[in-house]
Amino acid sequence: SFSQDIDHILETQSALAVDLGGTNLRVAIVCMKGKILKKYTQPNPKTFEDRMQLILKMCFEAMWEAVRLNCRILGVGVSTGGRVNPQEGVVLHSTKLIQEWSTIDLRTPISDAMHLPVWVDNDGNCAALAEKKFGHGKGVENFVTIITGTGIGGGIIHHSELVHGSTFCAAELGHIMVSLEGPECSCGSRGCIEAYASGMALQREAKRLHDEDLLKVEGMDMKLSEPVTAAHLITAASLGNPKADAILNKACTALGVGIINILHIVNPSLVILSGVLASYYQNPVQHIVHGRALLSAQSIKVVTSDLEDPALLGAASMVLDYTTRRTY
Amino acid sequence: SFSQDIDHILETQSALAVDLGGTNLRVAIVCMKGKILKKYTQPNPKTFEDRMQLILKMCFEAMWEAVRLNCRILGVGVSTGGRVNPQEGVVLHSTKLIQEWSTIDLRTPISDAMHLPVWVDNDGNCAALAEKKFGHGKGVENFVTIITGTGIGGGIIHHSELVHGSTFCAAELGHIMVSLEGPECSCGSRGCIEAYASGMALQREAKRLHDEDLLKVEGMDMKLSEPVTAAHLITAASLGNPKADAILNKACTALGVGIINILHIVNPSLVILSGVLASYYQNPVQHIVHGRALLSAQSIKVVTSDLEDPALLGAASMVLDYTTRRTY
Ligand SMILES: [Ca+2]
Ligand SMILES: [Ca+2]
Ligand SMILES: [Zn+2]
Ligand SMILES: [Zn+2]
């Protein structure tokens, strides 16, 4: 039938999606309906050469797999930390979360190697595109997404379009500052919400407590060999560790106040949290918004993303949306 | 000649502009070219009834003067503190800077009394419209203006349009928070840039120093009867008062960090400061942006408005732009 034909096209027309994060480098095959058909994960190499080499290697591997799966790859979408000029496909500048990653033309080498069109944008912006196409942002004219991973990224949809800004520095939501001093941030400044509430910030605090032998509490299972993570901090707090609790409270307050700043600047109707810490942050953030935002902004909804992987899906959506609009 | 005819029309077609601030209520006659032909100033009354009465009284007085000046008044533009629904001409909610000023329909009573179309928007938004039509924002696609008076207001122009947001709470730039605690703000929260850097905040600190006999320094002229103001704080600092200097430094840092938050959220190409403290803040703010913003945002220009009165001119511009576009 006709609808089966359409279904078949939607399943076979696919994108290669690449996500370059502070920790991992991932490549996936994503079909038109937003299903991740195959995903490859490697630690993100520390040097430019190793990183570029691994990107191409993983893309080729995924291409072979796409052939095997009978998927037609329409292009490559790249999500990366740092500021990106999406018109040129160039990473302009990154914080030290991704080293050797400034003034990097990603489009040319990938396009030359793969013989495919390539789109590049910031990971937070990609997450916003994913929410718009596949998630809670579907049909919402003005929304913001905040993705909490190693760092904190974000994207802003205004009048149904991404806000890139005059120097492609809009929606750098991790570097909203909520303290005149405050902890040092990967960007070189202080008091950014990334320095309070990112996975990396919580891990830093967990390690600090652990080093002072103040992390582990009664009933907490933790092997000596285990690396200390944000999850340990959350467990410790839930088991009554007051120091862990205070650190997490401050992280929630910082994130909440940062989000209020977004509400008082662009006033979206919806805030979508994603990343591993999203569901942990949702309620406290909503509570802080109720307590500290201007009355007119208190009604704004804070939700947790239900997407498996917003950055990858958003990278794919650049390909899937552009190629089906037949513009490049 | 034809161009003289046009000049004549531009001079006679005018707007009544009303500005409702934390301190004063002002009404002006503004011609098409942005010249303020006549301006009336009164203290803004503390109660709703007195305020509405005075607005109408001052508008009638200005109308009489317009007849005398041979100006054709096309409508009334109102700039006010607080959140405004400009589609309805309603003040939704104000901070305690303007009391008894929530859920107020301004369009209907003014329009009924004056038999003229009425436009209403937030004072910061009006200031942005003024910069766009008459000031540094002419032809600039993405800019932000911050107006420092009794409180702090702001407006954002994105793709040459005001950003109002989903609940008319966008560009509430005075309530960007740069501290998790920090001084109490008129909005009920803490750590807002208005609570650090507004005229009211500096006056509060000046008074505090004065009460502790720590304000006046050698060479400073200050009468006993004089009310203590922000200007005294600036004078004291310039004459070497270290406490006054520290307070002003913190105000500059707070404003600078608040502006960086704007840069990291909407990334305009230009920041226009207006209000009495604008020229004082320009250099320190530019310095803080250079020191603490992400590299991609450090190049953003910070300038001081050269408009006589942005809120009034912006209120007028709503009338002058809309009526000449023949839409209401
Ligand atoms: Ca972003
Ligand atoms: Ca405003
Ligand atoms: Zn930062
Ligand atoms: Zn406030």
Side-chain angles (χ1 to χ4, degrees):
Chain A
S1 77
F2 179 71
S3 96
Q4 277 176 325
D5 286 353
I6 293 285
D7 274 1
H8 182 69
I9 289 169
L10 293 181
E11 263 159 37
T12 59
Q13 294 212 329
S14 301
L16 282 195
V18 178
D19 179 49
L20 289 142
T23 308
N24 289 321
L25 167 47
R26 296 168 320 146
V27 173
I29 305 169
V30 181
C31 77
M32 194 62 84
K33 286 176 159 175
K35 211 159 50 180
I36 294 176
L37 302 177
K38 179 83 189 180
K39 182 157 69 177
Y40 304 85
T41 304
Q42 293 284 339
N44 193 347
K46 300 291 173 211
T47 67
F48 166 72
E49 284 82 10
D50 291 354
R51 189 176 301 130
M52 281 308 298
Q53 215 170 5
L54 186 59
I55 292 169
L56 294 178
K57 183 170 165 288
M58 288 170 79
C59 281
F60 276 117
E61 204 173 329
M63 273 300 269
W64 278 109
E65 181 66 14
V67 172
R68 205 186 64 78
L69 293 169
N70 203 19
C71 289
R72 199 180 142 228
I73 299 292
L74 302 169
V76 183
V78 184
S79 154
T80 174
R83 265 65 56 207
V84 171
N85 177 338
Q87 283 139 33
E88 308 284 337
V90 167
V91 182
L92 300 170
H93 181 247
S94 296
T95 66
K96 60 184 180 187
L97 273 192
I98 309 181
Q99 279 163 9
E100 303 189 11
W101 207 235
S102 294
T103 335
I104 308 289
D105 176 0
L106 279 178
R107 176 174 288 158
T108 308
I110 299 175
S111 184
D112 284 356
M114 311 298 296
H115 303 290
L116 285 169
V118 174
W119 288 264
V120 186
D121 209 338
N122 172 277
D123 46 10
N125 294 2
C126 286
L129 291 177
E131 297 296 343
K132 179 166 141 59
K133 191 173 172 70
F134 303 116
H136 290 303
K138 237 185 282 182
V140 182
E141 211 187 323
N142 302 301
F143 73 88
V144 163
T145 191
I146 297 182
I147 180 161
T148 313
T150 312
I152 293 183
I156 301 172
I157 300 287
H158 177 71
H159 289 345
S160 306
E161 297 278 346
L162 270 182
V163 177
H164 280 106
S166 67
T167 58
F168 307 106
C169 194
E172 278 297 334
L173 306 183
H175 304 288
I176 294 173
M177 293 170 210
V178 293
S179 170
L180 300 183
E181 287 97 26
E184 263 184 67
C185 183
S186 66
C187 72
S189 187
R190 291 178 165 279
C192 299
I193 60 174
E194 177 167 299
Y196 283 105
S198 66
M200 183 183 47
L202 295 187
Q203 187 180 36
R204 177 198 69 214
E205 293 300 303
K207 278 183 176 155
R208 198 176 52 75
L209 282 191
H210 186 68
D211 289 349
E212 297 170 22
D213 223 0
L214 294 169
L215 182 61
K216 223 181 144 186
V217 286
E218 185 75 38
M220 192 169 149
D221 207 29
M222 193 180 167
K223 292 179 198 70
L224 259 176
S225 57
E226 247 178 302
V228 182
T229 68
H232 293 119
L233 199 67
I234 293 171
T235 307
S238 73
L239 291 170
N241 181 329
K243 287 196 186 281
D245 197 54
I247 289 162
L248 286 167
N249 266 329
K250 186 159 258 187
C252 291
T253 306
L255 184 62
V257 167
I259 287 172
I260 294 173
N261 286 344
I262 301 168
L263 303 184
H264 291 175
I265 292 174
V266 287
N267 187 27
S269 63
L270 178 67
V271 175
I272 305 170
L273 304 178
S274 63
V276 281
L277 294 161
S279 61
Y280 175 78
Y281 280 133
Q282 183 185 340
N283 283 328
V285 163
Q286 184 85 67
H287 182 77
I288 290 154
V289 167
H290 276 297
R292 292 185 64 165
L294 289 167
L295 195 65
S296 308
Q298 285 177 16
S299 57
I300 268 65
K301 264 195 307 184
V302 180
V303 300
T304 298
S305 173
D306 55 12
L307 298 180
E308 192 189 335
D309 205 320
L312 274 178
L313 289 178
S317 86
M318 295 191 287
V319 178
L320 302 171
D321 280 357
Y322 278 83
T323 51
T324 51
R325 275 194 239 137
R326 305 193 189 284
T327 55
Y328 176 23
Chain B
S1 77
F2 179 71
S3 96
Q4 278 175 324
D5 285 353
I6 293 285
D7 275 0
H8 182 69
I9 290 171
L10 293 181
E11 262 159 37
T12 59
Q13 295 213 328
S14 300
L16 282 196
V18 179
D19 180 48
L20 288 142
T23 309
N24 289 322
L25 168 46
R26 296 167 320 146
V27 173
I29 305 169
V30 181
C31 77
M32 193 62 84
K33 286 175 159 176
K35 212 161 47 182
I36 294 177
L37 303 176
K38 179 84 190 179
K39 181 158 67 179
Y40 304 85
T41 303
Q42 294 284 340
N44 192 347
K46 301 289 175 212
T47 67
F48 166 71
E49 284 81 11
D50 290 354
R51 189 177 300 132
M52 281 309 297
Q53 216 170 5
L54 186 58
I55 292 169
L56 294 178
K57 183 171 166 289
M58 288 171 78
C59 281
F60 276 116
E61 203 174 327
M63 272 300 269
W64 278 109
E65 181 66 14
V67 171
R68 206 187 62 80
L69 292 170
N70 203 20
C71 289
R72 199 180 142 229
I73 300 291
L74 301 170
V76 183
V78 184
S79 154
T80 174
R83 265 65 57 206
V84 171
N85 177 336
Q87 282 140 34
E88 307 285 337
V90 167
V91 182
L92 299 171
H93 182 248
S94 295
T95 66
K96 59 184 181 188
L97 274 192
I98 309 180
Q99 279 162 9
E100 303 190 11
W101 207 236
S102 295
T103 335
I104 308 288
D105 176 1
L106 280 176
R107 176 173 289 158
T108 308
I110 299 176
S111 184
D112 284 355
M114 310 298 295
H115 304 289
L116 285 169
V118 174
W119 287 265
V120 187
D121 209 338
N122 171 278
D123 47 9
N125 295 2
C126 285
L129 291 177
E131 298 295 344
K132 179 167 141 58
K133 191 173 172 69
F134 302 117
H136 291 303
K138 236 184 285 182
V140 181
E141 210 186 323
N142 302 301
F143 74 88
V144 163
T145 191
I146 297 183
I147 180 161
T148 314
T150 312
I152 293 183
I156 300 173
I157 299 287
H158 177 72
H159 289 344
S160 306
E161 298 277 347
L162 269 182
V163 177
H164 279 106
S166 66
T167 58
F168 308 106
C169 194
E172 278 297 334
L173 306 183
H175 305 288
I176 294 173
M177 295 170 210
V178 293
S179 170
L180 300 183
E181 287 97 27
E184 263 183 68
C185 182
S186 66
C187 72
S189 187
R190 292 177 165 279
C192 298
I193 60 175
E194 177 167 299
Y196 282 106
S198 65
M200 183 183 47
L202 295 187
Q203 187 179 37
R204 176 198 71 214
E205 293 301 302
K207 278 182 176 155
R208 198 176 54 73
L209 282 191
H210 186 68
D211 289 349
E212 297 170 20
D213 223 359
L214 293 169
L215 182 62
K216 223 181 143 185
V217 286
E218 185 76 37
M220 193 168 148
D221 207 27
M222 193 179 167
K223 291 179 199 72
L224 260 177
S225 57
E226 245 177 304
V228 181
T229 68
H232 292 119
L233 199 67
I234 293 171
T235 307
S238 73
L239 291 170
N241 181 329
K243 287 194 187 283
D245 197 54
I247 290 161
L248 286 166
N249 266 330
K250 187 160 258 188
C252 291
T253 306
L255 185 61
V257 166
I259 286 172
I260 295 174
N261 286 344
I262 301 167
L263 303 184
H264 291 175
I265 292 174
V266 287
N267 187 27
S269 63
L270 178 68
V271 175
I272 305 170
L273 304 178
S274 63
V276 280
L277 294 162
S279 59
Y280 175 78
Y281 280 133
Q282 183 185 339
N283 283 329
V285 163
Q286 184 85 67
H287 182 77
I288 291 153
V289 168
H290 277 298
R292 291 185 66 166
L294 288 167
L295 195 64
S296 309
Q298 285 177 16
S299 57
I300 268 64
K301 264 195 307 184
V302 179
V303 299
T304 298
S305 173
D306 55 12
L307 298 180
E308 193 189 334
D309 205 320
L312 274 178
L313 290 177
S317 86
M318 294 191 288
V319 178
L320 301 171
D321 280 358
Y322 279 82
T323 52
T324 50
R325 276 193 237 137
R326 305 195 190 282
T327 56
Y328 175 21

